């Protein structure tokens, strides 16, 4: 919805987008299928994820417009010839934990859960569309974005139940401790997650940073 609504100012129909973290590619393959002009070049460090992603992409008939490469996004996303694209999309690993010794280490987002998002916001893309969970220190994410010249142009938010990885005792205890210290919000067995468009494009109006934080149940 964000890509479609901001189609013209984002300019992705001409230059495409890059993606940090492919996962199994199911969600973005559906997006690509629904937007015939969209091309995505994606990167993931997990070989098994890449294998599953390519199968899912092929099954949806979008392999010509959704390519997946094994490697570190921050090393390889800008290695291709030609101008740098303006927009990056990501549903990055965002589970916070004291260390990566958790049920699925690939989902670890650092001690506060937002390591990769913060790195992405410091990578000089004009537009960043990314997941922002309520338990991964979203206020620091938003303020870091502001420090690097971004506005929250818009977002979509929903409530989610804890899954098997976020409800792992070690993880859940850490999440509750972080939130109690003011680094996020969780309910009894739920949390919020938003997909937000951070932009430095002057042609995209608005700044909904405070609304985003309120949607994630944090004081703005």
């Amino acid at each position: 919805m964000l890509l479609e609504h901001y189609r013209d100012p984002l300019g992705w129909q001409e230059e495409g987008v890059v993606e940090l973290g492919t996962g199994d590619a199911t969600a973005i393959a559906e997006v690509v299928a629904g937007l015939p002009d969209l091309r995505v070049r994606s990167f993931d460090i997990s070989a098994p994820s890449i294998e599953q992603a390519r199968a899912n992409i092929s099954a949806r008939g979008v392999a010509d417009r959704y390519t997946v490469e094994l490697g570190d996004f921050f090393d390889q996303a800008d290695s291709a010839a030609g101008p740098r694209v303006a927009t990056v999309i990501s549903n990055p690993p965002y589970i916070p934990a004291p260390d990566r010794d958790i049920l699925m280490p690939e989902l670890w987002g650092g001690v506060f859960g937002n390591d990769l998002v913060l790195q992405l916001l410091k990578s000089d893309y004009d537009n960043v569309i990314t997941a922002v969970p309520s338990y991964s220190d979203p206020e620091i994410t938003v303020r870091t974005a502001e420090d690097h010249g971004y506005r929250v142009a818009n977002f979509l938010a929903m409530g989610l139940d804890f899954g098997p990885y976020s409800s792992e005792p070690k993880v859940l205890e850490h999440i509750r401790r972080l939130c109690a210290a003011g680094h996020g919000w969780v309910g009894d067995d739920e949390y919020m997650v938003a997909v937000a468009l951070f932009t430095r494009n002057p042609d995209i109006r608005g700044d909904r940073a405070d609304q985003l934080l309120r949607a994630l149940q944090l004081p703005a």
Side-chain angles (χ1 to χ4, degrees), residues 52-187:
Q52 183 62 56
R54 286 174 175 161
N56 288 336
I57 291 167
S58 178
R60 285 160 179 78
V62 293
D64 58 328
R65 293 186 292 115
Y66 189 3
T67 61
V68 181
E69 300 176 37
L70 178 64
D72 187 324
F73 172 90
F74 298 104
D75 290 337
Q76 299 186 27
D78 300 317
S79 62
R84 178 187 178 108
V85 303
T87 302
V88 57
I89 61 176
S90 183
N91 181 22
Y94 58 66
I95 288 182
D99 52 59
R100 63 182 302 115
D101 184 20
I102 58 177
L103 287 175
M104 185 171 282
E106 295 90 341
L107 297 180
W108 187 54
V111 173
F112 292 95
N114 59 356
D115 280 6
L116 284 173
V117 172
L118 297 183
Q119 189 175 356
L120 194 55
L121 291 167
K122 298 172 184 177
S123 296
D124 206 33
Y125 286 90
D126 286 340
N127 311 293
V128 177
I129 299 177
T130 186
V132 183
S134 64
Y135 60 48
S136 298
D137 211 356
E139 183 170 7
I140 290 297
T141 297
V142 168
R143 301 314 172 201
T144 299
E146 291 173 342
D147 288 345
H148 287 80
Y150 290 98
R151 293 169 289 107
V152 178
N154 219 330
F155 64 90
L156 303 166
M158 67 175 66
L160 294 177
D161 296 331
F162 280 108
Y165 303 114
S166 54
S167 59
E168 179 185 356
K170 172 182 177 177
V171 171
L172 186 56
E173 179 183 355
H174 183 74
I175 287 173
R176 294 201 182 283
R177 187 163 55 247
L178 287 178
C179 293
H183 295 288
W185 176 87
V186 287

Side-chain angles (χ1 to χ4, degrees), residues 30-55:
E30 294 290 347
V31 173
V32 175
L35 296 173
D37 298 328
L38 180 62
R39 291 172 288 107
V40 178
R41 184 179 179 217
S42 185
F43 300 84
D44 201 292
I45 60 172
S46 169
S49 293
I50 292 289
E51 183 177 355
Q52 183 62 56
R54 286 174 175 161

